[in-house]
Amino acid sequence: MKRLIALVLACLMLTTFFVSCKKDDVDPDNSDYKPTEDPYEKDDLPELNYGGENVTMLYWSDRVHKEEFEITEPSDDLIVNASYKRTKTTEQRLGIKFDYASCVGNASGDNTAKFIAFWKKDISSGACEYDVVGCYGLTMAACSTAGLCMNLKDYDYINLDEPWWPERLQDQATINKRLYFASGDISLAYLYEMYMMFYNRNMIEEYRFDTDPLKYALDGTWTWDKFYTYCAAVGANDANGNGEVDGNDKYGLIVEYNRLCPIFFSIDVTMVSHDNTGGLSVSDSCYSHKADQFVADINNFIHNSGSAYYYPETDEKVRDFFANGNTLFMINRAAVAKAHLAHKEGLEYGILPMPKYDEEQEEYVSTLANGFSMYGISMGIAGEEGRDEMCAAIIECLASESYRQISPVLYETVMKLRYSPDAETAQVYDIVRSTMQFDLARLFHQALETFPQSLFKDTIKYNTSWGAQATTVTRRLNTLIEEVIMSAFQS
């Protein structure tokens, strides 16, 4: 019920969120803190006051979305200012003051190893200066295997049933029934990095479709069969027959290599699953008949239908092709709307969740690009009585305040809703946001020798059989899961 209410309330984009805070409004001792009324779900945190305690957050300095960490001044930029207000409200509510430390931590070169070494040195040296940590999702997974993260499920302050935490997080991201990292509204990058399906509303009118796919999305019947039907109506349109995408062509879908993963996971399959003890192994659904047939259908659609174009390189050309009105559908991150689509004059676009396998599938399944942040509590503070509880309260408060202060502003700004007052689209954004999956095979990408992030993409790229890989890949993945992941989390 909480999540249903949250879905409806996501349509209420209130301008009151845009009022700036003055720098001198901050009272770290929270003696002047007075909660304001808003229509969004509140957290269950009790009144807490840590007496102005300094809390150090370690974060990844090479993040793409700079608005997430260490915003210490109000700003005219709506999203930056919302991030500032979120942080200051957390300081006032809990009576704390944030300090910051940073280190490179993305997937480039050896940055993951550098972040692990930086954090590990703080613990092994006995300094233990870092409290809350936020880093690139795949790096945080690697940090957990290095023994640097506390179990978030040990803390009552963190309520994973609240709408600012994705529904699938605690079911899919646990190892031995423990949760070492979390993401959701707490991460501004999470909101930017959500994959969704963009569609061209101009082409809906041009091809005289009877039904806008948004209707199917909202009534829960947006499926791959319906998607294929729309694409087929656009037809095979390599207008000049040169086998390349150019301005004369029109397609149902254009997609590039690095945006393929959301297709596979949309049919509610996972690469790994949990047994009754919380252990991991390759999921039966991964190489099921359903998965095998679906991949065969997608391969046929992309390579043989003529109404799809697979682009093997970067998505810059894909974005331009969509923005110029040459394709009905595009799979991409939410951030593309703000950075690229919003600036295209005359473009009318909408958003959809990735389609379901069929109408029997209970809910949509959404996927994140890699550039989002995971948050955790440093193992270095384990010996300080009550400090880990304080950090748990901080994580819950940051997530809760993000849900109320950042997410509505980010939605309106990213999706350009102020210029296209479509409350139904807001519901789609919230559907995508709340149905994110956290397949541990993707999160532990590096430990699993990059198998999980390349398996499906290479199957599409080379137009090969999914089922033919099952025996070899399953054996190798199960060995890696046992040797690299499970061995790091033995009781």
Side-chain angles (χ1 to χ4, degrees):
M1 182 58 69
K2 284 182 178 179
R3 296 186 185 276
L4 180 60
I5 293 170
L7 183 98
V8 175
L9 290 176
C11 304
L12 304 174
M13 302 294 113
L14 303 180
T15 57
T16 54
F17 286 104
F18 303 154
V19 178
S20 296
C21 290
K22 295 180 181 178
K23 185 178 179 182
D24 58 3
D25 283 343
V26 178
D27 174 19
D29 293 328
N30 82 354
S31 57
D32 291 333
Y33 172 71
K34 295 180 178 61
T36 56
E37 289 300 318
D38 63 58
Y40 294 86
E41 180 74 28
K42 310 295 193 300
D43 57 58
D44 297 324
L45 289 172
E47 291 187 14
L48 297 168
N49 188 344
Y50 292 103
E53 183 71 20
N54 281 53
V55 174
T56 300
M57 179 178 289
L58 171 63
Y59 67 88
W60 52 313
S61 59
D62 49 357
R63 66 205 184 282
V64 173
H65 306 293
K66 301 299 183 184
E67 310 99 315
E68 185 164 347
F69 300 102
E70 200 168 358
I71 306 300
T72 58
E73 300 283 345
S75 171
D76 292 334
D77 182 288
L78 298 178
I79 295 175
V80 174
N81 200 57
S83 184
Y84 168 79
K85 289 171 63 179
R86 180 278 302 261
T87 301
K88 292 308 174 187
T89 302
T90 299
E91 288 183 328
Q92 290 177 323
R93 285 187 61 185
L94 303 182
I96 61 166
K97 182 69 175 69
F98 281 113
D99 292 325
Y100 296 92
S102 65
C103 177
V104 294
N106 66 20
S108 300
D110 61 351
N111 287 355
T112 293
K114 287 179 179 177
F115 192 90
I116 293 173
F118 189 81
W119 185 358
K120 184 179 289 186
K121 181 180 179 181
D122 174 68
I123 297 174
S124 61
S125 69
C128 300
E129 294 179 355
Y130 311 140
D131 299 294
V132 175
V133 182
C135 193
Y136 179 71
L138 276 60
T139 295
M140 278 297 285
C143 289
S144 70
T145 60
L148 305 181
C149 307
M150 305 281 276
N151 175 20
L152 299 180
K153 297 193 81 172
D154 283 342
Y155 305 104
D156 293 337
Y157 285 150
I158 298 177
N159 186 350
L160 296 170
D161 294 323
E162 295 288 10
W164 40 88
W165 300 115
E167 290 185 35
R168 293 170 178 252
L169 176 67
Q170 61 180 322
D171 291 331
Q172 293 186 330
T174 56
I175 305 167
N176 284 346
K177 300 184 179 180
R178 301 167 189 156
L179 182 67
Y180 295 96
F181 40 72
S183 193
D185 286 57
I186 190 173
S187 168
L188 186 145
Y190 168 97
L191 300 166
Y192 275 129
E193 295 292 302
M194 300 185 304
Y195 277 125
M196 53 186 64
M197 187 171 278
F198 292 86
Y199 73 103
N200 187 316
R201 282 180 162 164
N202 304 94
M203 290 181 69
I204 294 294
E205 295 182 8
E206 177 185 352
Y207 284 86
R208 301 180 185 278
F209 289 107
D210 292 334
T211 306
D212 189 308
L214 178 63
K215 175 186 179 298
Y216 297 127
L218 294 179
D219 67 20
T221 62
W222 177 232
T223 63
W224 280 103
D225 282 344
K226 286 188 174 73
F227 167 83
Y228 293 144
T229 300
Y230 277 90
C231 291
V234 176
N237 284 286
D238 179 11
N240 54 15
N242 64 359
E244 298 179 1
V245 171
D246 57 43
N248 296 315
D249 300 338
K250 288 203 174 180
Y251 289 91
L253 172 73
I254 187 168
V255 65
E256 60 101 14
Y257 180 81
N258 283 327
R259 312 299 172 208
L260 288 170
C261 279
I263 294 174
F264 179 72
F265 292 103
S266 70
I267 64 170
D268 202 14
V269 296
T270 58
M271 285 193 173
V272 298
S273 60
H274 296 78
D275 60 28
N276 57 9
T277 68
L280 302 174
S281 61
V282 174
S283 168
D284 290 339
S285 69
C286 184
Y287 287 103
S288 62
H289 173 73
K290 169 185 169 180
D292 192 28
Q293 185 59 55
F294 175 74
V295 175
D297 291 343
I298 285 289
N299 256 332
N300 184 58
F301 166 69
I302 288 177
H303 295 287
N304 302 321
S305 72
S307 59
Y309 192 91
Y310 166 69
Y311 192 72
E313 298 174 23
T314 112
D315 74 341
E316 182 177 345
K317 189 166 186 175
V318 172
R319 293 184 324 230
D320 290 340
F321 200 69
F322 179 83
N324 291 333
N326 294 96
T327 183
L328 180 56
F329 297 108
M330 172 185 70
I331 299 166
N332 222 310
R333 301 166 301 132
V336 167
K338 178 175 183 284
H340 196 76
L341 303 183
H343 307 296
K344 184 66 178 180
E345 189 70 30
L347 173 64
E348 296 290 336
Y349 65 90
I351 58 172
L352 303 164
M354 295 300 295
K356 295 180 179 180
Y357 178 75
D358 56 28
E359 292 186 18
E360 300 303 312
Q361 185 173 316
E362 289 188 10
E363 62 179 3
Y364 299 105
V365 180
S366 306
T367 309
L368 287 161
N370 288 333
F372 70 103
S373 302
M374 283 284 197
Y375 284 70
I377 300 173
S378 176
M379 186 63 74
I381 64 171
E384 298 183 52
E385 185 176 356
R387 194 166 187 87
D388 54 344
E389 293 279 355
M390 178 186 69
C391 290
I394 290 168
I395 285 177
E396 181 73 2
C397 193
L398 285 170
S400 167
E401 293 298 336
S402 294
Y403 164 79
R404 286 188 294 277
Q405 299 203 53
I406 295 180
S407 298
V409 177
L410 188 105
Y411 169 74
E412 177 151 329
T413 303
V414 169
M415 303 318 299
K416 205 182 175 185
L417 195 65
R418 72 171 71 107
Y419 306 119
S420 177
D422 186 349
E424 291 181 324
T425 304
Q427 295 180 51
V428 174
Y429 184 87
D430 204 57
I431 288 171
V432 174
R433 184 173 132 282
S434 64
T435 58
M436 206 58 59
Q437 58 93 288
F438 291 87
D439 195 295
L440 287 173
R442 294 187 73 228
L443 289 174
F444 286 99
H445 165 74
Q446 293 168 317
L448 300 180
E449 297 180 352
T450 75
F451 273 142
Q453 301 246 22
S454 59
L455 274 174
F456 177 73
K457 293 187 292 188
D458 285 347
T459 301
I460 299 300
K461 179 179 180 179
Y462 300 112
N463 194 11
T464 55
S465 167
W466 182 251
Q469 307 173 71
T471 302
T472 302
V473 172
T474 298
R475 184 184 300 116
R476 181 60 182 153
L477 273 177
N478 274 331
T479 299
L480 287 171
I481 288 169
E482 189 62 34
E483 292 179 353
V484 180
I485 300 178
M486 296 310 300
S487 63
F489 300 107
Q490 296 300 321
S491 299

